[in-house]
Amino acid sequence: MRRVALVTLVVDDHDEAIRFYTEALGFRLVEDAPRPDGSRWVVVEPGTGGAGTGLLLARAKDEAQRGRIGDQTGGRVGFFLHTDDFARDHARMLASGVRFLEEPRHEPYGSVAVFEDLYGNRWDLLQPADRAGAD
């Protein structure tokens, strides 16, 4: 196995989710295609060129799925967004209205702050510490 290509994130509305992930987080829309059953196949990903894991934004189809929106990991940080410039991306995300749950921290493993997506799922914005020579 080479990598995890997609992770499903259950959302309430495709267009709202696309706006948040592309405008507030700076992801790019990779695909937005209608499906024969009337649903949509919507994929966003950070960065450029498919090097990372994409998010499949899947609209909830029933009450059980709607009940999972925003709580897909039981309140834990479930997603980790790496950056090469923490200060730049933190400032841009704040200016875009992203809600951070804490002030930035500088830990031995890197600079980090927990934020919520538009549904309340918790994410780490993380600039890993330079690992050159650490191995």
Side-chain angles (χ1 to χ4, degrees), residues 74-130:
R76 293 186 57 107
V77 171
F79 307 95
F80 300 82
L81 185 58
H82 282 197
T83 177
D84 61 357
D85 188 332
F86 183 90
R88 174 199 66 210
D89 290 333
H90 182 260
R92 182 186 52 74
M93 290 167 67
L94 280 172
S96 295
V98 174
R99 181 171 173 249
F100 279 85
L101 303 179
E102 63 183 18
E103 292 297 316
R105 294 179 283 126
H106 304 288
E107 304 288 349
Y109 57 85
S111 297
V112 63
V114 176
F115 69 93
E116 288 183 335
D117 67 16
L118 75 162
Y119 298 112
N121 294 300
R122 292 180 177 208
W123 291 67
D124 269 358
L125 174 64
L126 174 65
Q127 181 177 354
D130 182 12

Side-chain angles (χ1 to χ4, degrees), residues 43-70:
V43 176
V44 296
E45 69 180 25
T48 59
T53 301
L55 292 178
L56 172 63
L57 303 177
R59 188 168 176 264
K61 292 184 178 184
D62 57 33
E63 283 305 312
Q65 290 179 12
R66 276 189 282 287
R68 293 293 185 201
I69 294 171

Side-chain angles (χ1 to χ4, degrees), residues 16-77:
E16 174 184 67
I18 290 168
R19 271 191 305 280
F20 177 81
Y21 286 98
T22 60
E23 294 175 13
L25 299 190
F27 284 33
R28 67 186 188 93
L29 180 62
V30 175
E31 189 172 0
D32 184 356
R35 306 216 17 171
D37 66 359
S39 65
R40 289 163 64 183
W41 182 263
V42 178
V43 176
V44 296
E45 69 180 25
T48 59
T53 301
L55 292 178
L56 172 63
L57 303 177
R59 188 168 176 264
K61 292 184 178 184
D62 57 33
E63 283 305 312
Q65 290 179 12
R66 276 189 282 287
R68 293 293 185 201
I69 294 171
D71 190 30
Q72 295 181 126
T73 59
R76 293 186 57 107
V77 171

Side-chain angles (χ1 to χ4, degrees), residues 1-8 45 50-55:
M1 304 300 143
R2 294 181 48 187
R3 70 181 178 103
V4 174
L6 293 173
V7 173
T8 299
E45 69 180 25
T53 301
L55 292 178

